[in-house]
Amino acid sequence: MNMQAMLKQAQNMQRDMMKIKEEIDNTEFTGESSLVKVTVNGKKEVLSVEIDSSNDLEKDELEMLQDMIMVAVNEANKKVDAETEKKMAKFGNIPGLF
């Protein structure tokens, strides 16, 4: 296989990886436990947090708690991404890999 063919194959593979990454980024995923339901997108951004309202919390307290959990999880995910990017930088910038 010549270099030109290998380069074209690598470009096609990169395009396919980016397309799959975009599909994942736009997909919503839901995790549930007994009292909590969290929805995130493929970029690991928390879209919503729902806490079972059958507990003794007032409605405004419940909404504030849900928002606080969402912000905290998103902040933690950003730290994971920053650390991953920092440590993986030595391998070069491969778009869509992480």
Side-chain angles (χ1 to χ4, degrees), residues 29-68:
F29 302 87
T30 301
E32 296 184 56
S33 67
S34 57
L35 296 175
V36 179
K37 178 180 176 181
V38 177
T39 303
V40 300
N41 62 22
K43 293 182 260 184
K44 297 183 280 182
E45 297 169 335
V46 177
L47 302 175
S48 68
V49 174
E50 298 173 37
I51 299 174
D52 185 0
S53 61
S54 65
N55 56 44
D56 293 332
L57 291 174
E58 296 291 326
K59 185 177 193 272
D60 59 335
E61 292 173 326
L62 184 63
E63 289 175 359
M64 185 172 25
L65 179 59
Q66 290 173 164
D67 288 343
M68 290 169 57

Side-chain angles (χ1 to χ4, degrees), residues 63-81:
E63 289 175 359
M64 185 172 25
L65 179 59
Q66 290 173 164
D67 288 343
M68 290 169 57
I69 291 169
M70 182 173 63
V71 168
V73 172
N74 282 334
E75 182 180 337
N77 281 333
K78 285 178 186 176
K79 289 178 180 179
V80 169
D81 291 343

